[in-house]
Amino acid sequence: MRIADAQWVPSTQHQTWDALLDPAVLQKCLPGCVHITRRTPTEYHVAIHAKFPGIDANYEGEVLLSDLNAPHSLSLAFEGKGEAAGMAIGTAQMTLTDKDRGTRLAYTVAAMAGGKLAECGEPLILKAGGKLVEKFFANFIDYMAAQPRLEPPPPPPEPEERGLSNSRWSWAVAMVVVVVLVGYHTLFK
């Protein structure tokens, strides 16, 4: 199964990025989510109650983030297992860009299913997966629209360059040192 699309989110790029990594926001927006726990800055534990045609199952799994380029892009890998339904594994890539005083969030999801879930067939899984993604983004966009708009934080200041070579007095100090050395060797030797 492969899903690729883009959504416009009514918040700044950095706010959208922060919300996508916030377990509390994800728990509110992900349909059927029981809980999401951040174990490390790049690892989440997820529990979801999902309903697919003919299958009502609880899934537990892991989400691992990689290639983080805040607030522009990230990749993730996920794995979920349910006793009654089998398993689902996949990857996703997300790209965030500024657009029309908001954020364009482009994504590509690739997933595979095993067990009873796979028996449903790819067209049915694709349809159910598409609905899950649509519901998530509808909830996420509504959530972000209700948040106050915060401007991006200022970029960190450039580090001050150090050393005499960057000082406007560096040449004068160097000349004084040369004159003193030449004068010393000339007068006292």
Side-chain angles (χ1 to χ4, degrees):
M1 170 181 90
R2 188 171 192 277
I3 300 171
D5 203 354
Q7 300 287 333
W8 182 80
V9 181
S11 64
T12 62
Q13 189 174 343
H14 80 281
Q15 281 180 283
T16 304
W17 174 269
D18 290 344
L20 285 171
L21 300 180
D22 185 340
V25 173
L26 295 174
Q27 187 169 334
K28 287 179 187 177
C29 298
L30 190 61
C33 184
V34 177
H35 75 269
I36 295 180
T37 307
R38 182 183 293 174
R39 291 185 171 166
T40 70
T42 59
E43 182 182 357
Y44 296 79
H45 178 265
V46 180
I48 296 175
H49 182 80
K51 292 182 181 183
F52 289 99
I55 301 174
D56 191 6
N58 292 316
Y59 280 92
E60 290 213 20
E62 306 296 323
V63 176
L64 299 173
L65 305 179
S66 63
D67 303 325
L68 282 94
N69 179 17
H72 306 288
S73 62
L74 65 91
S75 297
L76 62 89
F78 59 89
E79 172 187 65
K81 295 178 184 174
E83 284 186 32
M87 63 175 252
I89 60 171
T91 61
Q93 286 75 41
M94 295 185 200
T95 304
L96 291 77
T97 52
D98 286 326
K99 183 175 182 180
D100 301 331
R101 292 197 32 85
T103 303
R104 179 181 188 271
L105 196 160
Y107 58 91
T108 302
V109 179
M112 293 176 23
K116 197 170 190 178
L117 185 60
E119 294 172 9
C120 294
E122 188 169 334
L124 198 54
I125 294 171
L126 185 60
K127 185 177 178 182
K131 283 185 179 181
L132 183 71
V133 170
E134 285 176 18
K135 287 179 183 177
F136 168 77
F137 277 111
N139 294 342
F140 186 74
I141 289 167
D142 288 346
Y143 174 84
M144 295 308 291
Q147 302 306 306
R149 184 177 183 81
L150 301 174
E151 290 307 314
E158 291 291 324
E160 260 187 52
E161 295 184 25
R162 302 215 180 254
L164 289 176
S165 64
N166 295 321
S167 167
R168 63 183 185 178
W169 296 102
S170 63
W171 289 107
V173 170
M175 288 301 285
V176 168
V177 169
V178 169
V179 168
V180 168
L181 287 174
V182 169
Y184 173 78
H185 285 289
T186 306
L187 297 174
F188 296 105
K189 292 236 173 179

